[in-house]
Amino acid sequence: MRQAGLGGVPRVRPWSWQAFLLGFVVVAASAALQGICVAFGAKFYFAAFLPGLFVLGLVAGAPAAAFAAVLTIALVWWAFMPPFFEFNSLTSANADSINLFCLLAVLLIGLADLCRETMAIISRGGLKPSGESVATNSQ
């Protein structure tokens, strides 16, 4: 792991086995948090997983976060959507929840990837000015 330029966020190489292991750990921790929320009566399925996906996208990159998103869909369908602990056909409301999660996951993973690239640019010293600006007229 190496340190990023902003805030000392540790970074993992995106396609390494450590990144995918971290994705599995983040999904497991989010599932535990979701289980606690369900025990208190919460009815949302994916809310506990979204912050973990964003942080995972920042730390481990987009491939590990996409793996975690796919793993999350299977886990929530199996463990948190009734009937619990079995795969069954989805109701239209459950399918809508999965579709909304997919949309939010793509947006959050994209934002995390942009933030990760920005941190890499800043840690290299920023953008280098070129000789001429596009906006200047050569005449």
Side-chain angles (χ1 to χ4, degrees):
M1 290 203 289
R2 41 179 205 211
Q3 294 292 330
L6 263 162
V9 176
R11 291 183 14 193
V12 180
R13 288 189 8 230
W15 285 99
S16 66
W17 65 270
Q18 293 99 342
F20 289 98
L21 180 64
L22 184 60
F24 186 77
V25 168
V26 165
V27 170
S30 297
L33 180 63
Q34 179 70 22
I36 292 170
C37 292
V38 168
F40 284 122
K43 298 271 187 222
F44 47 86
Y45 296 127
F46 293 101
F49 294 91
L50 290 171
L53 280 180
F54 180 73
V55 171
L56 182 65
L58 276 177
V59 173
F67 165 73
V70 170
L71 190 63
T72 296
I73 291 170
L75 178 70
V76 168
W77 185 6
W78 179 71
F80 296 109
M81 289 182 177
F84 302 111
F85 301 111
E86 64 181 61
F87 289 107
N88 216 355
S89 60
L90 291 171
T91 64
S92 63
N94 290 345
D96 288 343
S97 295
I98 290 174
N99 287 336
L100 183 61
F101 171 75
C102 288
L103 173 68
L104 292 174
V106 166
L107 293 174
L108 280 176
I109 292 169
L111 179 63
D113 193 47
L114 286 174
C115 291
R116 184 177 166 90
E117 291 299 320
T118 302
M119 288 189 295
I121 290 171
I122 289 172
S123 69
R124 287 192 306 258
L127 295 174
K128 305 291 185 235
S130 63
E132 283 188 31
S133 173
V134 177
T136 59
N137 191 353
S138 62
Q139 296 179 0

